[in-house]
Amino acid sequence: MKYLGVYLVLIFAFAMVQTSCSSKIMKQPSGGSCTYSKFEGYAVIKSISSAPADEYNCPDQAKKIVFEFTPLNLSDRHKYKIKNVSDSSRSLQMNDGANPSLSWIKKNKIEVGKKYKCFRTEISSGTCTPVVFTFSELNLFPENGCK
């Protein structure tokens, strides 16, 4: 019984050490930083249809938006490092991969045939997503989620 207090102090101290070590591990970024090559061009919206229910979707009538990317300098296609990722039939996604909501589409006046400035970015170093298409005219990470 007289050692109970000592054991409790040791258990508490051990728990504190474990907690402080695990929090340091979690703060370390995985993969490190990434660098990308950037190809300027434009994207033309080819279709807007109901998003499949089994895909990652925003709420409020998610839509699948398909676009085609064309680099401003067509010879840039020969400079692509990741050639197996096509510029055709790409999906416009927001918030880390979700199909956008109908309200977001209406707010941004996205329509079939509309043309947007776009960049194809390809990973040069690191372990991030290999190819990312970005739209400078659209906020794909709105503060209010999918709206």
Side-chain angles (χ1 to χ4, degrees), residues 90-110:
R90 305 303 310 171
S91 293
L92 188 149
Q93 298 171 329
M94 60 187 299
N95 297 331
D96 296 324
N99 288 314
S101 66
L102 180 60
S103 60
W104 183 86
I105 292 168
K106 286 181 177 182
K107 179 181 175 185
N108 288 281
K109 300 176 183 164
I110 296 174

Side-chain angles (χ1 to χ4, degrees), residues 45-53 55-58 60-67 89-92 98-102 105 110-112:
I45 306 300
K46 294 296 184 180
S47 67
I48 301 173
S49 59
S50 294
E55 290 188 5
Y56 178 42
N57 296 318
C58 284
D60 179 31
Q61 301 173 335
K63 300 294 181 184
K64 186 161 192 100
I65 300 175
V66 176
F67 68 90
S89 299
R90 305 303 310 171
S91 293
L92 188 149
N99 288 314
S101 66
L102 180 60
I105 292 168
I110 296 174
E111 299 172 352
V112 173

Side-chain angles (χ1 to χ4, degrees), residues 127-145:
T127 57
C128 301
T129 305
V131 178
V132 178
F133 291 91
T134 57
F135 292 76
S136 57
E137 300 166 291
L138 298 173
N139 181 5
L140 298 177
F141 294 92
E143 283 183 29
N144 57 354

Side-chain angles (χ1 to χ4, degrees), residues 22-124:
S22 64
S23 65
K24 287 179 184 173
I25 291 169
M26 292 181 75
K27 290 180 184 176
Q28 294 175 351
S30 61
S33 63
C34 296
T35 57
Y36 284 87
S37 300
K38 199 175 210 182
F39 300 97
E40 184 177 359
Y42 60 91
V44 175
I45 306 300
K46 294 296 184 180
S47 67
I48 301 173
S49 59
S50 294
D54 62 342
E55 290 188 5
Y56 178 42
N57 296 318
C58 284
D60 179 31
Q61 301 173 335
K63 300 294 181 184
K64 186 161 192 100
I65 300 175
V66 176
F67 68 90
E68 183 170 331
F69 174 78
T70 304
L72 287 180
N73 185 347
L74 293 177
S75 67
D76 280 349
R77 286 189 172 141
H78 300 293
K79 298 175 188 173
Y80 288 176
K81 180 179 175 183
I82 304 170
K83 297 181 186 295
N84 65 335
V85 175
S86 173
D87 288 340
S88 300
S89 299
R90 305 303 310 171
S91 293
L92 188 149
Q93 298 171 329
M94 60 187 299
N95 297 331
D96 296 324
N99 288 314
S101 66
L102 180 60
S103 60
W104 183 86
I105 292 168
K106 286 181 177 182
K107 179 181 175 185
N108 288 281
K109 300 176 183 164
I110 296 174
E111 299 172 352
V112 173
K114 207 163 181 185
K115 190 175 181 179
Y116 294 92
K117 185 175 182 177
C118 185
F119 295 91
R120 175 187 169 116
T121 55
E122 294 186 332
I123 195 161
S124 301

